[in-house]
């Protein structure tokens, strides 16, 4: 898929990455209707971030993981080699 008219969104994401690299935390929410290109935007930005030395982590949240505490966090932590939260222990 080719991104069309997404320069503004990519610039905002690039700016957030620059701020994070400078030690200022950022949270970015990407929202939009089905099929509007959210996934492609994020894939394009993940490539951009990787080229600039960022570590890109990926996780998938699904209803089937609802019964598994911290499933998404565990996916992310596993990619860092640090391991994830113990699902058998209640959160503190």
């Amino acid at each position: 898929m080719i991104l069309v008219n997404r320069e503004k969104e990519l610039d905002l994401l690039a700016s957030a990455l620059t701020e994070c690299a400078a030690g200022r935390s950022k949270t970015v929410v990407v929202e939009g209707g089905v099929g509007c290109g959210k996934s492609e935007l994020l894939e394009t930005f993940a490539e951009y971030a990787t080229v600039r030395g960022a570590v890109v982590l990926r996780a998938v949240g699904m209803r089937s993981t609802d019964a598994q505490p911290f499933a998404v966090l565990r996916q992310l932590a596993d990619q860092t080699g640090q391991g994830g939260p113990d699902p058998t222990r209640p959160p503190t």
Side-chain angles (χ1 to χ4, degrees):
M1 180 182 282
I2 297 173
L3 290 178
V4 177
N5 295 324
R6 292 289 186 233
E7 293 81 14
K8 179 181 174 185
E9 290 83 356
L10 286 169
D11 287 345
L12 288 170
L13 290 169
S15 175
L17 179 63
T18 299
E19 290 194 41
C20 287
R24 294 182 298 276
S25 302
K26 286 290 179 184
T27 300
V28 177
V29 177
V30 177
E31 62 180 355
V34 174
C36 71
K38 297 178 301 290
S39 295
E40 187 62 27
L41 174 67
L42 292 174
E43 286 297 327
T44 300
F45 181 67
E47 291 175 20
Y48 170 90
T50 300
V51 167
R52 280 149 186 82
V55 175
V56 177
L57 305 177
R58 300 169 191 271
V60 177
M62 297 179 282
R63 284 195 185 276
S64 63
T65 61
D66 284 351
Q68 301 171 8
F70 308 112
V72 171
L73 288 176
R74 239 181 293 111
Q75 289 177 55
L76 295 171
D78 286 348
Q79 293 172 59
T80 67
Q82 301 298 311
D86 182 350
T88 62
R89 294 185 57 202
T92 56

